[in-house]
Amino acid sequence: MILRVVLTLLSHYRRHPGQLAMLLVGLWVASALWSSVQAINATAKESYARANALFSLETDQLARSDGIALSIDDYFLLRQAGLPVSPLLESSLTIENTRLTVLGIDLLTLPASNGNSRTTANGGSLTEFISPPWQTQLSPDTLQVFRLDRQQALGATPSIGEQRLPPLTLRNDLPPNTLVMDIAAVWALFGEQATLSLVTASGALSQPPEGYRLTRATSLASPEQLTDSFHLNLTALALLSLVVGLFIVQAALGLAMEQRMTTLRTFRALGVPGKTITLAILLELLLFGLIGAALGLISGLWLAGKLLPDVASTLSSLYQADVQRSLALPWHYWLGSVAITLGGLLLAGSGVLWRATKLQVLALGQSYAWRFSYQRQLMRMLQAGGLAGAITLGLATCLSLLPAGEGLVVSFSLVAALLFTCALCLPPALNALLQLLQRLLRRRPLGQWLAADMQLQLPRLSLAMMALLIALATNLGVSSMVGGFRLTFLEWLDQRLAAPLYINATPSTLTPLNEWLTSQPEVLETLPTARGNTRLLAINSAMENERNANESALLSSIAVFGISTVPTLTSQWPLLETFDGIPRAWEALAQQSVFINEQMAVARALQPGDSVLLETLQGAVWFTVAAIYPDYGNPQQQLLVTVDTLMQRFEGELASTGIVLHSEADTDAFRQALSTEFDLSPDTLVNQQEIKEAATQIFERTFSITRALNGLTLGVAALALLATLLAQAQQRQRQLATLWALGVPRATLALLPLIQLGGLALITGLLAIPLGITITWLLVAVINVAAFGWRLPLQLFPLDIAVMLLTAFSVALFAAALPTLQLWRTSPRALLNEETQ
Amino acid sequence: MSFPRWLKTLSILAACLMLTGCGDSQESAQPQQTAQDGFAGLGAESQGFVQADASTPLMFPEDHGAHPDYRIEWWYLTANLEDSQGEPLGLQWTLFRQALMPPQERPALTPWAADQVWMAHLGISQHATHVAAERFARSHSAQPLAQQRSQQRSEQRPQQRSEQQGQAGVVAAPFHAWIDDWSFRSPPDANFERFSLSAYHGEGDARSGYDLTLHAEGPLVWHGENGFNAKTIQGQGSHYYSQPFLRIEGSVMLNGESRTVQGRGWLDREWSSQLLTAEQTGWDWFSLHLDDGRKLMAYRLRGGGENGTDYRFAHLFNAAGQTELIGRDSIVLTPLTTEQVAERDIPTRWQLTLPEANLEFTVEARHANRWMPTTVPYWEGDVVVRDTPSQDQIGVGYLEMTGY
């Protein structure tokens, strides 16, 4: 019997294929975006897991105190002194725009790990690894760079330039885009171009040997911690599209239920038990759910495949975390995706099921009473909206109590709650507006009808409008944030890159080079920089009393950056806050003061005027914080001092040097002279333009995924609106027929739905603007600080807002135009027929 | 953009796994298994290497140094010492060399390129305490041992010492064998007559090692014609000589506690390209100092004898280094007691019979806990020699057992 019931229920969709399409489209898009983002996250997690599984042992690094690059002699010297150091020779290769890290190791001296499981690797014997022709070990997902598959890979020797790599060997436990080989093999390929570092097992040396300094592996967070916020952003967007998709589903289900009420009552009258009917509807839902989930998974995977390379390059440029560029999905991913789709569907269909169980056999002929029930529904929506509003307020209070830079999850929940509050209040608001319109248009019957008819349509349109509101507001928020970030970032880049030429060389080359530069007539100014490390021991802030470094979070390694305070730089260097004005801040920096980056200010709750106790070469010293500067894109906290201070007080080395030439100087000739004098490779000399281009490229990639997901969400909302309108087009014609019979001309008749829907969409769009601006503010001022540690100025783009409104309007018009066109083509007789049916 | 640290760590760890993986495969070379290359690969293919044979006479001081054209080689010191309280203490220091490839396949001499791998072991035992440590290194045999660095570098760093050497190596005269900070050397005026040995491992309470002075009180002893010692009936074997007459004094640190020691030592020198046949899976090796001044070196190679029997050898010589007896098939080496050590059954008491010399010893480990849990693991420890009929102690020595 139940089969018969299900089949009868399903037969409804044969008469209304539009509703079926809408239902499946809703499920499909909801599931597709969600699955794709989950696929991306799962793949990234898998890549991190490979890292973390082996992360138990960290290495400390030794460098020479005099800044000269390490050589094999240093290695021999330190080994002879009995220090357990191991050499690492690093270089990189770029093949088809993919940067591969080449790591040369000495298996014989690598710090042994005690806790590791003794798995026998398939990497072959030690002898093969360290004897020519050596081996290149790589993970299988790196193979695609060489256009090789697994079968061809073993023993292959891909050529790189004029040389060939040692025969390939696959290792599943290596991170992507990393080639590991014997240190002698790396030397054979790269020679002096490879950089030597000396590592020891973390904590193996209690103090560095004389003449060397030790960088401990303590302050670094794991890639998972760093990238957490990024993945949370993606998940939030995906969740949003899931919600929008489910709105469509609920609309479709509600409509189908409405229209099948009579059928259901007939069933009951024929003696079908209520439970059977409920079960039949449940089966129907499951069937749709499975189809929708399958469709969603397939297209979600396709989408993820398209997006993953961008995500991977974003993660690698932002956090230097390598994620493989092909999907790797664990079993729970598949299960999870289907479960989310089915769960969402059941949630969306719960209303329908509820009504099916409460079905009154004798309540025949009440199908037109829905208008009253809708009033109740509006009331309930208002109540739910009020509840969501209360939650929003609660979350906002909670957020204001949290220290700045924390509460990423709370912020996202706040955005979600805010969206729901507004979405839930939208139908009552629209209803009230239409009520008002009806009253205002009392004297214009057609106008009054227009408003009243709109009000009648509202129950069916409300969900689509809610979806539209959410999508529009989010779209506005995200695009304003991205646009604002873009402007701020480019401006900041302009300010920070004061010199037209930059030299990136090893510290040992930079020392003589900086001296040489001062003697060159073409050189107007040199801007040396340096970098180093220190430890933050204590904080003395105006807000609180002295905080001691007993908290482990405080006693951590902090990067120090050194710049030269020449006017070329100081006049442009952006500062966010100063203690007593910008000129005084720069004066202070030359003395016992430091600048801190915004990330540090947020994380340590520091303000200009506070002081920090830092570990220096002369012992612990108090420094005053003179200013806070923006440092976009840097995941770490940083202190800024002058180069002189850095070299005298902290363990550090020279970093890149900026050069300003006289305006009449021949840049190319100077470059040439510089390269010849110091035997520099072409890529050590970069001009400002190249850096800007590289940075902009990273930036564009970072937000390409956000943009793609955002655009897709808006598309889904448009689809929801279109599907809803199409689904009820049939009914609309009946109501219009009456008007036609009353003598309204067909041209006016065709125009009416356009005015109705266009107006409704426009109102929704206008309501979305303040909501969108609020979301933008939450994104740039709250979520960004929590996720990345910096705040962006709130910037709005009127043109974007106009485009958004226009999009909403056009979608509504387009959706209304199709039924209108149909109406235009239908003969008046047919319309009347429909009415009498 | 610098290479991310965590990624580096990961790659290093992956590599470590590979190294331990290699260790595993060697560890599982149990006697009953058909190990293709014998114990620790000592029976592996040796094509292209110079082969040890009886026609090559030993040459000194050259032969104290390394023989990179041969596949394997070692400098092996064992010592039976007593601390100031008279408590017995045993120690060993070994430097192993293995060539990665035959001479003609050596890579060009560039920084880091290697054709030799070095492994060194340190072991100290007293009563139930036993500590072991190991070191590894690579070198290139074409590398000048006292290197002249390139002009540019020495200009940059005038403060550096003039003598630059690789991470490990052995020079014949004046004798110097080293790996990292472990060093075993002779002064120029007493080459291979006087030695100093220094090797330490660990920090604080876990620090163990020794600083020793060694005096040769007798001649070098050759174990076979021209110093060639056959190890199978097919003729595989090694060049093998010893300095068994070492008087030792110095200080030993065991788990952070230092003590003064003195006693006797035995230095073995051996090199070959194929020591064992593929069927030989391990050995039991004795070096014994008898109280009457005589010394005995005896071993049993399990497998490789006639019809798969064991290959046995014994060399008994007097205080002047003169051979009293070379025994082969007649000698009997019988395990009397086995004990569970490192999840293996290890014979810790032996019956040793030399019928031609009318000798019958019981050799007993001072303690079973002398397992060397190194990458290539084995048992090595100090023993007491007793006269079997009377059970009186008549000497001390060292026992090495591999392939269990």
Side-chain angles (χ1 to χ4, degrees), chain A residues 248-267:
Chain A
I248 308 177
V249 173
Q250 209 206 341
L253 283 176
L255 191 64
M257 189 68 191
E258 194 79 57
Q259 290 175 351
R260 285 185 295 179
M261 259 328 169
T262 337
T263 320
L264 293 182
R265 290 202 179 93
T266 313
F267 273 138

Side-chain angles (χ1 to χ4, degrees), chain A residues 54 57 59 61 64 73-75 77 79-80 88 90 101 105-107 111 118 137 171 175 182 320, chain B residues 1-3 5 7-10 13-16 18 24 136 138 149 157 161 165 167 180-181:
Chain A
L54 295 163
L57 185 127
T59 59
Q61 246 177 336
R64 290 179 65 104
D73 292 349
D74 291 288
Y75 171 64
L77 192 75
R79 286 300 301 198
Q80 212 179 354
L88 271 187
E90 295 167 40
T101 303
I105 54 169
D106 177 33
L107 271 185
R118 300 187 127 226
Q137 300 196 334
R171 292 280 307 272
D182 186 64
Q320 301 191 356
Chain B
M1 202 168 283
S2 74
F3 192 59
R5 285 284 290 279
L7 194 57
K8 203 185 288 179
T9 306
L10 163 63
L13 282 163
C16 284
M18 194 178 88
D24 257 3
F136 286 95
R138 63 166 76 202
R149 288 288 146 191
R157 294 170 211 193
R161 73 212 181 290
Q165 57 186 24
Q167 195 195 338
D180 298 339
D181 55 334

Side-chain angles (χ1 to χ4, degrees), chain B residues 21-39:
Chain B
C22 293
D24 257 3
S25 62
Q26 284 158 344
E27 202 170 347
S28 61
Q30 303 282 315
Q32 59 269 37
Q33 288 174 359
T34 51
Q36 282 302 300
D37 296 343
F39 175 75

Side-chain angles (χ1 to χ4, degrees), chain B residues 129-188:
Chain B
T129 311
H130 174 70
V131 296
E134 75 181 327
R135 296 278 175 92
F136 286 95
R138 63 166 76 202
S139 78
H140 196 291
S141 51
Q143 204 167 12
L145 290 166
Q147 284 184 2
Q148 299 297 311
R149 288 288 146 191
S150 66
Q151 209 60 32
Q152 188 196 353
R153 291 223 178 274
S154 53
E155 272 170 18
Q156 268 184 18
R157 294 170 211 193
Q159 80 279 13
Q160 275 191 7
R161 73 212 181 290
S162 54
E163 189 200 351
Q164 267 287 6
Q165 57 186 24
Q167 195 195 338
V170 180
V171 187
F175 174 73
H176 185 200
W178 77 93
I179 183 167
D180 298 339
D181 55 334
W182 293 359
S183 150
F184 186 32
R185 67 197 309 168
S186 283

Side-chain angles (χ1 to χ4, degrees), chain A residues 383-397 414 417 421:
Chain A
Q383 284 163 353
L387 187 68
I391 293 175
T392 311
L393 280 178
L395 285 170
T397 320
L414 179 61
T421 308

